[in-house]
Amino acid sequence: MLNPDELYIERAIELAKKGIGETFPNPNVGAVIVSEGKVVGEGYHRRQGEPHAEVEAINDAGKKARGGTIYLNLEPCCHHGTTPPCTDQIIKAGLKRVVFSIYDPDSRVRGKGAQILRENGIEVKTGVKMREAFELNLPFIHRCEAGGVLIVLKVALTLDGRITLNKEDWFTSKESRKHVHYLRALSDAVAVGIGTVKADNPVLDRRFFGRELPSPIRVVFDSELGFSPDSSWFDDDERVMIYCTENAKKHSMNLLEKAGAEVIALPGNHGEIDLKRWVDDISGRGVSSVLVEGGARIATSFLKEGLVDRMVLFFAPRISGKKGLSLFQNDVEPDWIKRGGLKPSHVSLSGTDIMAVYDSSVVKGYFERLAED
């Protein structure tokens, strides 16, 4: 059974999720104000440039905020950006207690917000619902801690390690497919290989997320440019990025660019795109998080290069036998996961499936630092 602090932080996280897909480059934050055992104010950060969650909740509560407790999934900011410091607003409102989940990874805030509040006689409690708060803002945390692009690899598997059955067979549960759309909503871009595009023609949108959001940037690895310029992907105005090698035909590149794609040629290794160069390139184009959903070839390539920050595996209770394609190709090396520092982080049920999350040592380090008091 959850205690009151956990219940109200849970509500703050629920509110924070309403801003997913709208707040970039800011984090997703929700706030709940409680006075005399009753919720008197709520708010969340709706989009960049608009009031932070704390301010929305304080405005909602009005005079009832005085003497109360504010619950947040992230440490209040204490610096001037496009909006004033939230610590100033909390002090001015007369709140006597602040409870938050994790420290803000922004170097301008980390620990300083809590310190300012304590120096002004406000009780501060941290570490409530840390895991949930961390998961909600991992892309933001990565930007603050390391910069560059966060690479999340998602794979759906049968119990015997196959990633496909029949073409039309969705072998994972509805809950797992919905969670994938949640992962897409947290990501700037979704990446697949040309083999997946030709076999499945995936939509790669966020329609199961729960509310309408534009599609993420769609990224395709296509060494020789076999992508069709007549693809339905060009029927909307969403961004499409196609990566090929420098040996790809210029004529194909021109046709795809006329269709509306961004075509980027990179050096190749044995006819394959140099993924380390790709990471540098896409990061330089303003993309800070990518969900890789490609097939076996793409998945093993990223693991082989040690480029995966997080791996999310959905194990469905199915046995495929020899029907499906194995995730790992014949040249798999047993130290790939070890080399990337990927270790089990947490496991949970997803409908009838098991969702297993593996994090790199770098991502694990983020969690440990932001949970410290």
Side-chain angles (χ1 to χ4, degrees):
M1 187 179 223
L2 300 179
N3 63 44
D5 285 350
E6 291 172 327
L7 282 170
Y8 294 129
I9 287 288
E10 198 170 72
R11 174 57 181 164
I13 291 172
E14 184 182 329
L15 290 166
K17 289 179 179 179
K18 293 184 177 183
I20 289 175
E22 308 285 356
T23 62
F24 181 88
N26 292 345
N28 301 299
V29 182
V32 176
I33 296 176
V34 177
S35 180
E36 297 181 352
K38 294 182 180 180
V39 174
V40 295
E42 293 186 337
Y44 68 97
H45 185 41
R46 298 172 186 273
R47 56 186 58 85
Q48 197 273 337
E50 294 192 8
H52 288 188
E54 295 92 326
V55 175
E56 282 223 341
I58 289 169
N59 290 341
D60 186 38
K63 294 180 179 179
K64 293 179 182 178
R66 185 163 297 278
T69 298
I70 187 167
Y71 294 88
L72 304 155
N73 56 295
L74 192 69
E75 178 183 15
C77 70
C78 57
H79 63 90
H80 283 274
T82 54
T83 59
C86 288
T87 48
D88 289 358
Q89 301 300 314
I90 290 171
I91 295 165
K92 184 179 178 182
L95 287 156
K96 295 301 182 184
R97 186 169 180 256
V98 175
V99 180
F100 65 82
S101 302
I102 59 174
Y103 286 95
D104 191 325
D106 190 323
S107 60
R108 297 170 295 179
V109 181
R110 174 66 173 88
K112 301 182 184 71
Q115 181 181 350
I116 289 171
L117 294 172
R118 287 184 175 120
E119 289 174 350
N120 281 273
I122 296 174
E123 179 188 345
V124 177
K125 179 179 179 179
T126 69
V128 180
K129 291 281 182 178
M130 292 184 295
R131 172 56 65 183
E132 293 89 336
F134 180 80
E135 296 298 317
L136 178 60
N137 279 310
L138 179 55
F140 168 74
I141 292 166
H142 181 78
R143 285 198 302 274
C144 293
E145 292 276 353
V149 60
L150 175 76
I151 306 297
V152 177
L153 173 64
K154 175 240 104 182
V155 184
L157 298 158
T158 59
L159 291 179
D160 53 343
R162 304 283 177 167
I163 63 172
T164 58
L165 290 174
N166 299 319
K167 184 176 179 181
E168 288 81 20
D169 190 356
W170 291 91
F171 60 83
T172 51
S173 68
K174 180 180 178 181
E175 290 83 358
S176 293
R177 296 196 294 276
K178 185 175 180 180
H179 191 81
V180 170
H181 283 238
Y182 175 73
L183 294 176
R184 289 178 185 174
L186 290 175
S187 305
D188 298 339
V190 176
V192 296
I194 186 61
T196 298
V197 173
K198 288 184 174 180
D200 303 330
N201 190 30
V203 180
L204 301 183
D205 61 9
R206 296 156 165 160
R207 66 189 182 279
F208 296 147
F209 172 59
R211 59 183 169 83
E212 187 174 342
L213 283 177
S215 295
I217 301 166
R218 288 167 284 191
V219 177
V220 181
F221 298 103
D222 185 7
S223 299
E224 299 178 359
L225 286 185
F227 196 93
S228 172
D230 297 322
S231 170
S232 58
W233 283 18
F234 301 122
D235 292 343
D236 53 39
D237 295 326
E238 305 295 347
R239 191 174 176 187
V240 176
M241 302 173 72
I242 303 175
Y243 281 87
C244 61
T245 64
E246 293 173 333
N247 296 326
K249 294 179 181 179
K250 298 296 181 184
H251 176 66
S252 298
M253 186 180 295
N254 291 336
L255 287 176
L256 287 166
E257 287 177 339
K258 286 181 180 178
E262 298 173 47
V263 183
I264 303 102
L266 295 177
N269 291 323
H270 306 291
E272 299 291 333
I273 295 164
D274 186 330
L275 290 179
K276 291 182 179 178
R277 292 283 191 96
W278 171 81
V279 168
D280 292 337
D281 183 88
I282 200 165
S283 177
R285 295 175 187 273
V287 177
S288 63
S289 56
V290 178
L291 179 65
V292 178
E293 292 194 45
R297 189 173 177 182
I298 293 298
T300 51
S301 294
F302 270 91
L303 289 170
K304 185 176 181 179
E305 296 295 334
L307 297 174
V308 178
D309 297 299
R310 163 168 284 190
M311 181 167 65
V312 183
L313 303 180
F314 292 93
F315 290 97
R318 298 281 296 275
I319 301 293
S320 65
K322 295 182 179 180
K323 292 181 181 179
L325 177 67
S326 174
L327 167 60
F328 297 111
Q329 302 301 286
N330 294 331
D331 60 346
V332 66
E333 294 290 341
D335 69 337
W336 283 1
I337 293 177
K338 182 179 178 182
R339 188 191 314 167
L342 292 171
K343 295 181 180 179
S345 174
H346 53 283
V347 177
S348 61
L349 289 176
S350 180
T352 56
D353 306 329
I354 296 172
M355 183 178 73
V357 178
Y358 293 74
D359 283 338
S360 69
S361 56
V362 173
V363 171
K364 281 184 171 291
Y366 299 161
F367 183 76
E368 291 165 3
R369 286 194 295 276
L370 296 179
E372 291 172 356
D373 189 0

